[in-house]
Amino acid sequence: MTLDEFFRIGTTVTLGSHTFEPEAIKAFARKYDPQIFHIDEEAAKKSVLGGLCASGWHTAATWMKLNLENRMDAEIAAWSGPSPVPEFGPSPGFKNLKWLKPVYAGQTITFTRTALSHRPIASRPGWRLLALRSEAFNPTGDKVLEFESAVLVKVE
C-alpha cells in the first residue's frame, strides 16, 4: 500500500450528517457566538438571515467532531507499507474558511473530507503534511462551509 492509497488522495469521504436543532443552536451561540439570529427565533425571523441559524463556528466545530469520529481506522488496519503504520499528529491549522450559506434550524448538513496531497516536512524528518479540503452541504446540495486544513503525519 502506498501513502497515496493510505491517505485516499483525491477521494471524498463522507464524514456523516448532523441535524442542527434549535435548542442546540441557541446553546452553542449563548456560549460562543451570541448573535441575535443564533439565539432568538423571533428576532432571527426579522434579521437579514430570515430565521434561526447555526453559528458558522458551530458548523465548523461539527465538521471537526465528525472528522475525529471518522479517523482513518480502516486505512490503519489495512496498512501494508514498508514502514510502521503512519501516526496522525497535530494540525497546524486551517485557512480559507468560508461560510457560504446559513445553516437553518432543522437542517441536516452532510460533512466531507478530501485528502488533496502530502509532502515531506523538511524541518521534521519522518513527518509529512497532509492537505485536506473540508466541506459541508445542506439538503439541497448547496455548499454551506468550506476550508482547507492540514494534519501532520509521522511515517517513519
Side-chain angles (χ1 to χ4, degrees):
M1 172 180 279
T2 68
L3 282 175
D4 281 359
E5 292 168 330
F6 178 78
F7 293 138
R8 298 175 70 180
I9 298 298
T11 301
T12 298
V13 175
T14 299
L15 302 173
S17 296
H18 176 80
T19 301
F20 286 83
E21 300 294 348
E23 291 311 312
I25 289 171
K26 292 183 233 176
F28 184 97
R30 280 192 290 272
K31 286 177 86 172
Y32 305 110
D33 193 3
Q35 303 298 320
I36 198 73
F37 38 79
H38 301 322
I39 58 174
D40 184 322
E41 291 183 58
E42 287 307 310
K45 288 178 187 175
K46 299 173 190 163
S47 76
V48 67
L49 297 174
L52 185 71
C53 60
S55 165
W57 294 114
H58 191 177
T59 309
T62 302
W63 181 93
M64 181 56 69
K65 176 182 182 251
L66 291 171
N67 184 56
L68 289 173
E69 289 174 356
N70 290 279
R71 296 172 304 170
M72 303 179 94
D73 293 337
E75 288 79 3
I76 290 170
W79 177 249
S80 62
S83 60
V85 175
E87 291 179 45
F88 288 86
S91 170
F94 64 90
K95 62 184 180 179
N96 298 324
L97 173 63
K98 297 176 186 169
W99 293 304
L100 301 165
K101 290 187 176 262
V103 172
Y104 290 101
Q107 280 189 320
T108 299
I109 304 300
T110 301
F111 297 85
T112 65
R113 169 187 70 219
T114 307
L116 302 174
S117 63
H118 59 94
R119 64 172 177 79
I121 302 173
S123 62
R124 291 188 163 269
W127 287 81
R128 299 187 78 77
L129 182 70
L130 175 62
L132 305 166
R133 181 176 55 240
S134 311
E135 298 172 308
F137 300 88
N138 69 18
T140 61
D142 294 325
K143 191 184 304 183
V144 298
L145 169 75
E146 71 179 16
F147 60 95
E148 299 168 38
S149 58
V151 64
L152 301 177
V153 185
K154 186 174 182 180
V155 295
E156 295 177 12

